[in-house]
């Protein structure tokens, strides 16, 4: 079978709910169009080690509703080195494959670009709960993670109200406050701390006290992990306000669980689009969700400078939490 009839797919970096729906779409649409589709296990690490298996229609049965990734994932330092990149490309070429769909974040897209330099046609599908990839309005997994945060905070709220306490809740986002901002706005957090926006803990503490004096019986402060050390933030707030608080770190529960309907839907659309652009003969493409549509853009778009932080949502959240 010729090169133009074969394509592989892998997941890389942090897993995200909805990745399975994207894998399923790549496999099923590929087979529908008479392609041989291969799954690469354990991300780029598995690729370097030749963990490549042909997928059948049944390989992706009963997975759309499951979190995680059936192909497993890994972070792979070897892919930063030229030797690793060449080895990874060669593993595909040896099997007569010269096309690869990479589902992951921008680090994974960098790996894809390196493979393109070694003769592989590459297609990037943005999959990360962080929603931090330039060139797409949304990434697979973000919606589910936000829903997970909202559900968890509504439970925290019950105990916070009973004890009339402030809770400082840490959500994921090492470099990006997208989860914190969207979930904070959705749950009506009193304050939202993001890596993108400087904050003043004295002001936040004053606001906390104003709220309690006005009769509020609980307070929720959402902190993105990249905004600072949660324990130091909590300690300072206690010191400034004289008010007891509790810390909850939501951690990796945000990466797990069944995908939301939207993430399964987005996974299906993006996986399908990747096969569509493969059949059109394109390469170095990223699949993007832009203006409510799934479109193809040059993969290098993901490495363009980030757009300046959009204060609209942040300001609204502040206005609603007076
Ligand atoms: O998936 C993205 C992300 O969740 C970040 O928000 C977080 O900092 C990081 O991955 C942690 O991932 P790991 O524990 O797998 O290194």
């Amino acid at each position: 079978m010729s090169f133009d009839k074969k394509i592989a797919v892998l997941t890389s970096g942090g897993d995200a709910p909805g990745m399975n729906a994207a894998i399923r779409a790549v496999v099923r649409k590929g087979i529908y169009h008479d392609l041989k589709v291969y799954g690469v296990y354990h991300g780029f690490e598995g690729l370097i080690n030749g963990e490549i298996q042909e997928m059948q229609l049944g390989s992706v049965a009963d997975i759309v509703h499951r979190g995680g990734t059936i192909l497993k994932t890994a972070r792979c330092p070897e892919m930063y080195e030229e030797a690793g990149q060449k080895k990874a490309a060669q593993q595909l070429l040896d099997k007569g494959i010269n096309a690869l769909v990479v589902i992951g974040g921008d680090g994974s897209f960098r790996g894809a670009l390196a493979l393109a330099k070694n003769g592989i046609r590459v297609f990037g599908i943005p999959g990360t709960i962080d929603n931090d990839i330039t060139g797409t309005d949304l990434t697979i997994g973000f919606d589910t993670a936000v829903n997970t945060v909202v559900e968890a905070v509504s439970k925290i709220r019950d105990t916070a109200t009973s004890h009339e306490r402030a809770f400082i809740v840490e959500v994921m986002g090492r470099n990006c406050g997208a989860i914190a901002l969207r979930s904070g706005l959705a749950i009506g957090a009193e304050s939202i701390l993001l890596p993108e926006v400087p904050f003043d803990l004295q002001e936040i503490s004053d606001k906390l006290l104003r709220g309690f004096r006005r009769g509020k019986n609980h307070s929720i402060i959402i902190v993105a992990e990249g905004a600072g050390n949660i324990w130091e933030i909590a300690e300072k707030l206690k010191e400034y306000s004289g008010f007891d608080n509790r810390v909850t770190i939501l951690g990796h529960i945000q990466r797990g669980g069944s995908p939301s309907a939207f993430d399964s839907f987005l996974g299906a659309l993006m996986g399908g689009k990747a096969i569509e652009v493969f059949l059109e003969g394109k390469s170095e493409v990223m699949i993007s969700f832009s203006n409510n549509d799934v479109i193809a853009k040059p993969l290098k778009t993901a490495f363009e400078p980030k757009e300046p932080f959009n204060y609209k949502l942040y300001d609204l959240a502040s206005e609603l939490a007076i």
Side-chain angles (χ1 to χ4, degrees), residues 140-293:
I140 294 170
F142 174 63
D143 182 65
T144 309
V146 169
N147 279 302
T148 300
V149 173
V150 170
E151 201 187 319
V153 170
S154 71
K155 291 180 179 166
I156 291 170
R157 213 194 275 273
D158 288 344
T159 175
T161 303
S162 303
H163 288 264
E164 296 173 304
R165 271 177 181 152
F167 266 79
I168 327 285
V169 181
E170 184 186 280
V171 301
M172 275 189 166
R174 222 173 348 213
N175 307 305
C176 170
I179 295 177
L181 184 54
R182 187 165 297 211
S183 58
L185 194 45
I187 58 123
E190 271 64 32
S191 297
I192 305 173
L193 277 50
L194 310 173
E196 294 90 342
V197 184
F199 51 86
D200 178 346
L201 289 176
Q202 183 65 58
E203 258 174 40
I204 292 169
S205 157
D206 294 347
K207 188 172 173 187
L208 199 79
L209 283 178
R210 268 201 315 277
F212 277 109
R213 283 196 197 110
R214 215 179 68 217
K216 278 193 181 193
N217 47 28
H218 75 267
S219 225
I220 305 284
I221 297 171
I222 300 282
V223 181
E225 60 179 331
N229 181 300
I230 185 101
W231 299 104
E232 285 170 15
I233 290 172
E235 207 40 57
K236 280 258 167 334
L237 286 176
K238 203 179 285 184
E239 183 189 320
Y240 293 157
S241 65
F243 210 85
D244 200 13
N245 64 42
R246 289 289 184 274
V247 167
T248 302
I249 298 176
L250 293 181
H252 288 74
I253 67 159
Q254 295 160 93
R255 286 234 296 253
S258 293
S260 64
F262 180 78
D263 276 328
S264 297
F265 171 73
L266 190 62
L269 293 192
M270 287 187 160
K273 189 73 181 177
I275 292 295
E276 190 182 311
V277 291
F278 166 82
L279 293 169
E280 286 166 1
K282 296 189 176 128
S283 178
E284 291 181 53
V285 163
M286 79 174 266
I287 310 301
S288 152
F289 185 76
S290 300
N291 301 320
N292 222 16
D293 197 7

Side-chain angles (χ1 to χ4, degrees), residues 6 45 49 75 77 112 135 166 195 225 249 265 280 299 304 307 321:
K6 289 181 176 183
E45 199 179 291
N49 297 327
R75 304 195 191 271
E225 60 179 331
I249 298 176
F265 171 73
E280 286 166 1
L299 188 57
E304 284 170 4
E307 288 188 4

Side-chain angles (χ1 to χ4, degrees), residues 7-13 19 22-23 26 38 40 43-44 47 71 73-74 79 88 92 99-116 120-128 133 140 270-271 274-275 284-287 299 303:
I7 188 163
V9 55
L10 63 75
T11 47
S12 162
M19 280 182 164
I23 296 167
V26 169
Y38 296 82
V40 179
F44 289 116
L47 180 56
L71 292 177
T73 184
M79 267 308 277
L92 289 170
L100 176 70
V101 178
V102 173
I103 307 171
D106 52 4
S108 310
F109 284 8
R110 261 182 220 291
L113 269 187
L115 290 180
I120 307 295
R121 292 171 60 200
V122 291
F123 309 87
I125 294 184
T128 160
I133 301 185
I140 294 170
M270 287 187 160
I275 292 295
E284 291 181 53
V285 163
M286 79 174 266
I287 310 301
L299 188 57
F303 307 106

